[in-house]
Amino acid sequence: MKTLKSMRLHIGIFGKTNVGKSSLLNRITNQDVSIVSDIAGTTTDVVEKSMELLPVGPVNFLDTAGINDSTVLSAERIEKTMKILNRVDVAIIVCDYTGIDNYEQSLIDKFNELKIPFLILVNKTDLRQPDKNVLEKLNKLCKYVLITSALSDKDLVYRFKGTLVKLLPDEFINSPKIAGDLVPEKSTVILVIPIDKEAPKGRIILPQVQVLRDLLDSNCLSLVVKENELKEALDNLKTPPALVVTDSQAFKQVSEIVPDEIPLTSFSILFARLKGNLEAFVNGAKAIDNLKDGDRVLILESCTHHAIEDDIGRVKIPRWLKQKTGKDLIIENMAGHDFPDISKYALIIHCGACMTNRREVLSRILIASQNGVPISNYGVVISYCLGILPRALRIFNLQK
């Protein structure tokens, strides 16, 4: 199966209009992904292209509209371009032989603020080479400056890949474990997967698949059961499992079956650590105790999906929140990549983020922190409301 976008390195391509961003993307991918034209503003929306870029692996390119677009829809296009920063792992600023000015400098300031590694690619050297002053300025701003031509440089792709490898974030080079680092090799892990309306027929949901694969890669013995088979599975084992991982919706039932000395957590809490910052989410959950009547809570989902009758984000979590707090809360739901004005919210609850890359989740945590709005995630909030969060965190040495 193809690697999901959420597990790919996201590479953003930025720059003014007509500096050759689209030509660069077409050259790297060896496909006509983006329209190339001498007319300024040809790229109107973010163009995405997923590919296997050896030796980096699976990547997702994001070709953005020119940041100095002066067409009728320029403001909207530039806004979309800037929003993409929350999804970008590595950035490329494309300029021509004239170098950069305030447009690119504003991007560089933002990259530095968000700790996004970047390179500057000087394009169109087939027309003219940048002069000494331009190169000196660029080298002061960026450690990696690539002088090339998307049209005539035969070694462009090779040189680009070599520079990109040097920029890769540590978490991409040293791919983090989901659960395999929490237990010894050859140990048994039980995965509790309810088969209900949330699980499509013939399949299990993505986070559960990814945890199972991670355990297999870590040489662990995985036992997959439904919640009503858990007690029998525990009784049949000669030695207790090193860990039990459950779907958050079955947390209460599973916690009553699994003996207290056996570590227990949820798929969503594992993803809180993988895709975000578990400690930040735990601290955010504490704000539940401070909620008052009329407070707004934003439940934020990474992807759009058809809401079912007993949907976790629209029905179950609001119900658990109101049972825990006893307050008349205003619950709002939002799905997708857009991040709204959060100043009116007393709490944000993020989904497991299986369809979102880590950069975007960390950006949302950063924005929430800057605005003084607590943020947590599905699994952490559910276990907090059910009174079992300390036990769910024990395996991470984060019990608080």
Side-chain angles (χ1 to χ4, degrees):
M1 295 178 66
K2 294 181 179 179
T3 302
L4 293 158
K5 283 185 179 179
S6 61
M7 302 301 287
R8 294 176 178 270
L9 180 78
H10 283 52
I11 305 171
I13 303 177
F14 302 87
K16 291 189 289 226
T17 56
N18 276 18
V19 293
K21 299 186 299 298
S22 298
S23 296
L24 173 67
L25 179 57
N26 289 345
R27 179 72 185 281
I28 294 170
T29 61
N30 198 29
Q31 297 179 35
D32 291 332
V33 178
S34 297
I35 299 173
V36 177
S37 171
D38 291 332
I39 301 173
T42 302
T43 302
T44 58
D45 291 306
V46 177
V47 176
E48 298 193 38
K49 172 60 180 177
S50 297
M51 66 175 292
E52 187 79 13
L53 186 67
L54 296 175
V56 176
V59 301
N60 191 48
F61 281 102
L62 303 166
D63 182 18
T64 66
I67 56 174
N68 64 325
D69 184 353
S70 58
T71 56
V72 177
L73 298 176
S74 61
E76 183 177 343
R77 291 170 183 169
I78 293 171
E79 182 182 3
K80 288 183 178 180
T81 293
M82 298 306 290
K83 282 183 177 180
I84 285 296
L85 291 177
N86 292 332
R87 299 169 55 195
V88 168
D89 296 305
V90 174
I92 304 165
I93 293 181
V94 183
C95 63
D96 60 18
Y97 49 82
T98 62
I100 69 171
D101 55 26
N102 292 337
Y103 291 117
E104 295 91 347
Q105 185 62 58
S106 64
L107 278 175
I108 290 174
D109 293 341
K110 199 68 178 176
F111 295 157
N112 290 329
E113 176 187 341
L114 298 175
K115 295 181 172 58
I116 300 174
F118 68 97
L119 69 89
I120 296 176
L121 188 145
V122 183
N123 193 24
K124 297 191 175 184
T125 56
D126 53 309
L127 301 178
R128 177 180 162 184
Q129 291 288 329
D131 62 35
K132 182 180 178 180
N133 292 335
V134 169
L135 290 178
E136 286 180 353
K137 180 179 179 181
L138 297 180
N139 286 320
K140 287 180 180 178
L141 291 171
C142 182
K143 182 178 179 180
Y144 301 103
V145 178
L146 189 61
I147 314 296
T148 188
S149 167
L151 297 181
S152 63
D153 187 349
K154 295 180 180 179
D155 295 325
L156 168 60
V157 176
Y158 173 78
R159 295 172 62 212
F160 172 79
K161 289 180 180 180
T163 307
L164 181 62
V165 168
K166 297 175 184 177
L167 285 172
L168 293 180
D170 289 340
E171 62 265 25
F172 188 83
I173 298 172
N174 305 308
S175 183
K177 298 281 188 180
I178 304 177
D181 60 326
L182 300 173
V183 295
E185 281 195 9
K186 307 299 183 183
S187 60
T188 299
V189 178
I190 296 181
L191 306 180
V192 183
I193 299 178
I195 303 301
D196 56 15
K197 293 178 182 179
E198 296 278 356
K201 187 175 181 180
R203 294 179 288 154
I204 58 177
I205 63 176
L206 181 60
Q208 297 162 356
V209 174
Q210 291 176 312
V211 171
L212 178 58
R213 176 54 194 262
D214 177 73
L215 291 170
L216 291 172
D217 289 340
S218 302
N219 301 316
C220 294
L221 310 177
S222 302
L223 179 59
V224 181
V225 301
K226 292 182 287 188
E227 69 276 26
N228 55 7
E229 301 167 341
L230 176 58
K231 187 178 186 308
E232 184 179 354
L234 289 168
D235 292 341
N236 288 342
L237 290 176
K238 292 182 180 180
T239 57
L243 176 65
V244 175
V245 183
T246 180
D247 185 281
S248 296
Q249 300 178 72
F251 230 145
K252 186 68 173 178
Q253 180 181 350
V254 170
S255 68
E256 293 171 351
I257 297 172
V258 178
D260 187 67
E261 62 271 15
I262 297 176
L264 169 67
T265 194
S266 74
F267 293 101
S268 185
I269 290 178
L270 288 174
F271 271 73
R273 182 179 74 138
L274 176 72
K275 292 296 186 75
N277 183 304
L278 179 55
E279 189 168 359
F281 284 151
V282 171
N283 289 332
K286 297 176 183 178
I288 293 174
D289 292 335
N290 300 322
L291 293 175
K292 306 181 295 297
D293 287 333
D295 276 348
R296 293 180 181 271
V297 176
L298 175 63
I299 297 182
L300 198 59
E301 296 171 314
S302 299
C303 61
T304 55
H305 66 278
H306 178 68
I308 62 173
E309 180 182 349
D310 205 21
D311 189 79
I312 184 170
R314 291 165 174 77
V315 179
K316 292 182 178 179
I317 289 179
R319 182 172 67 234
W320 282 320
L321 276 176
K322 291 179 180 180
Q323 289 174 349
K324 172 69 174 176
T325 65
K327 304 299 181 181
D328 185 16
L329 305 173
I330 301 172
I331 310 292
E332 298 180 8
N333 296 79
M334 184 172 182
H337 293 298
D338 288 339
F339 202 48
D341 176 7
I342 60 173
S343 58
K344 63 181 179 180
Y345 296 105
L347 175 65
I348 299 171
I349 304 175
H350 206 292
C351 69
C354 63
M355 298 299 291
T356 303
N357 69 342
R358 187 166 189 257
R359 167 64 67 178
E360 184 168 7
V361 179
L362 291 176
S363 294
R364 289 175 168 183
I365 293 173
L366 177 62
I367 295 171
S369 175
Q370 290 173 337
N371 284 271
V373 181
I375 184 169
S376 192
N377 111 314
Y378 276 19
V380 175
V381 165
I382 292 171
S383 57
Y384 190 87
C385 289
L386 296 177
I388 54 178
L389 181 58
R391 184 180 181 187
L393 295 176
R394 195 179 304 158
I395 190 72
F396 308 102
N397 295 318
L398 270 180
Q399 184 172 354
K400 294 186 177 183

